[in-house]
Amino acid sequence: MITKPKFAVIGGGSWATAITKMLCVNLDEVAWYMRNVDAITHIKKHHHNPNYLSAVEFDTKKLRLTSNINEAVAYADYIIFAIPSAFLSGELEKMTENLKDKVIFSAIKGIVPETSLIVGEHFNKKYEIPFENIGVITGPCHAEEVALERLSYLTIACGDANKAKVVAKYLSGDFIKTKISDDIIGTEYAAMLKNIYAIAAGMAHGLGYGDNFQSVLMSNGIREMKKFIKKVHKMKRNINDSAYLGDLLVTGYSVFSRNRMFGNMIGKGYTVKSAQMEMSMVAEGYYATKSAWKLNQDYKAKTPIIDAVYEILYEGKNAKKVFEKLTNKLD
């Protein structure tokens, strides 16, 4: 009898809920950590997350629900982190369990603000976890469509192909197709950068730009992404693969995209603070914009879209005027 690996999901949001749903299809038990004790009580009683993807029904016999992160970490061989990058350090500080013998996969689409590192690099440098024990789960895949069981695709990247295959196997299902990649750094940076371009797309929509401009913005966005990632981590990759271009397109165009929604509100005249207060979910691209802009002060890739979003969000510049200048830098 082959023993199945033990999985834990860290996070209580929509993406964590979607990943737990996928794993429950293939596993008899999944540990699920969330800090909200009331949500755990609700799931045990009503079989769904009250705050995110409430349409997803869980067989609670398959769930090891806990509000203690150490219990989830101690249980698992594979740990999938699916919490906003801005809150990752705070959650990790609660940990007393050693991560060195664990396989860590990040489903986080952002940069850790405290270290300005993507999540994989953060675990490698701060917790001394080797890259062969670190992986990334990227889209194009919206949690909301997983809840609806619409066909979705995931790319699972890891330095150890066998570990990528394990995660791919247990996330696969009738409505989830998976592929593996060895580009941990590139796929994770792409997952972070596409949120910035989605904010730009939302801003453009809020300002009244049409579909023609949106298509030019997105085509420039993928080229800008390619230049940025090449500076950060040079290796052979096809930027048109679904983990890069596909993820960019779905985040830039989808009605489910919280980053596009956030940008749309800014384009319509909301302040950053008022837009954040009105949204119930975190727009990762807000934090990613500052981190990418700061990183690029060293890399010096040509990134007019990132620069424009940064000027609007962090320098308080007028969105209409910034976009008027940006239109002359695109082709």
Side-chain angles (χ1 to χ4, degrees):
M1 182 178 172
I2 299 172
T3 305
K4 292 180 179 180
K6 293 178 179 178
F7 277 81
V9 178
I10 309 298
S14 56
W15 199 209
T17 304
I19 288 170
T20 304
K21 171 187 168 76
M22 295 179 218
L23 291 172
C24 282
V25 172
N26 297 306
L27 292 166
D28 298 324
E29 188 175 58
V30 178
W32 188 4
Y33 161 79
M34 59 179 73
R35 58 184 178 176
N36 188 331
V37 178
D38 290 339
I40 290 174
T41 303
H42 187 98
I43 293 168
K44 286 179 177 177
K45 186 176 180 180
H46 300 288
H47 306 277
H48 66 85
N49 188 337
N51 303 313
Y52 301 94
L53 306 187
S54 57
V56 174
E57 289 282 331
F58 287 100
D59 177 354
T60 52
K61 292 175 184 174
K62 288 191 167 191
L63 298 177
R64 285 177 68 108
L65 288 156
T66 178
S67 59
N68 184 334
I69 194 170
N70 287 297
E71 286 182 12
V73 171
Y75 165 83
D77 306 306
Y78 285 75
I79 305 167
I80 299 175
F81 284 85
I83 54 180
S85 58
F87 307 139
L88 179 63
S89 286
E91 291 300 323
L92 291 175
E93 283 170 8
K94 300 175 185 176
M95 276 182 10
T96 54
E97 286 289 326
N98 197 326
L99 288 173
K100 286 189 178 179
D101 61 342
K102 308 292 183 177
V103 181
I104 307 295
F105 270 76
S106 167
I108 300 170
K109 314 289 170 58
I111 275 186
V112 183
E114 291 82 355
T115 57
S116 293
L117 296 170
I118 52 174
V119 177
E121 290 179 332
H122 181 80
F123 276 111
N124 174 255
K125 287 189 167 62
K126 187 151 187 184
Y127 294 90
E128 299 178 353
I129 299 169
F131 275 115
E132 60 265 28
N133 283 349
I134 296 172
V136 182
I137 300 168
T138 66
C141 185
H142 276 309
E144 291 82 0
E145 292 203 350
V146 173
L148 296 168
E149 298 192 358
R150 290 180 178 167
L151 182 61
S152 302
Y153 292 72
L154 291 174
T155 297
I156 317 298
C158 185
D160 183 334
N162 288 326
K163 286 164 186 162
K165 286 175 183 174
V166 168
V167 175
K169 176 182 177 181
Y170 291 106
L171 289 176
S172 296
D174 292 341
F175 56 93
I176 301 290
K177 293 186 181 293
T178 58
K179 63 182 283 190
I180 67 167
S181 167
D182 61 352
D183 185 16
I184 317 171
I185 305 295
T187 53
E188 194 168 2
Y189 268 103
M192 178 267 285
L193 291 167
K194 52 98 178 183
N195 287 331
I196 304 172
Y197 301 125
I199 289 177
M203 286 176 172
H205 186 264
L207 288 165
Y209 289 90
D211 292 344
N212 294 337
F213 177 75
Q214 291 274 2
S215 67
V216 172
L217 185 67
M218 289 295 98
S219 62
N220 277 263
I222 193 63
R223 282 178 276 154
E224 186 172 303
M225 180 190 286
K226 182 179 181 180
K227 290 173 190 171
F228 189 102
I229 296 174
K230 191 175 180 181
K231 290 271 190 180
V232 175
H233 182 60
K234 191 173 183 178
M235 69 172 281
K236 189 176 181 181
R237 63 173 63 85
N238 184 353
I239 205 72
N240 295 322
D241 278 355
S242 58
Y244 315 96
L245 177 58
D247 211 5
L248 170 66
L249 292 176
V250 74
T251 310
Y253 286 124
S254 176
V255 294
F256 292 129
S257 171
R258 66 196 73 172
N259 289 284
R260 180 186 167 91
M261 186 192 308
F262 175 71
N264 187 43
M265 293 167 79
I266 300 294
K268 286 182 175 177
Y270 282 72
T271 64
V272 168
K273 185 169 278 189
S274 61
Q276 288 174 325
M277 286 175 66
E278 192 151 317
M279 291 179 65
S280 61
M281 297 182 288
V282 175
E284 288 275 23
Y286 171 73
Y287 303 101
T289 299
K290 186 176 184 179
S291 298
W293 185 87
K294 284 176 69 177
L295 279 171
N296 201 40
Q297 301 312 294
D298 294 326
Y299 291 123
K300 296 186 172 17
K302 192 177 179 183
T303 57
I305 302 173
I306 292 173
D307 296 344
V309 175
Y310 178 83
E311 288 171 10
I312 295 164
L313 296 183
Y314 288 94
E315 295 181 352
K317 292 188 179 179
N318 181 276
K320 184 178 179 183
K321 290 180 179 177
V322 170
F323 263 75
E324 283 172 357
K325 289 181 180 177
L326 178 63
T327 60
N328 295 319
K329 296 175 183 176
L330 306 181
D331 53 41

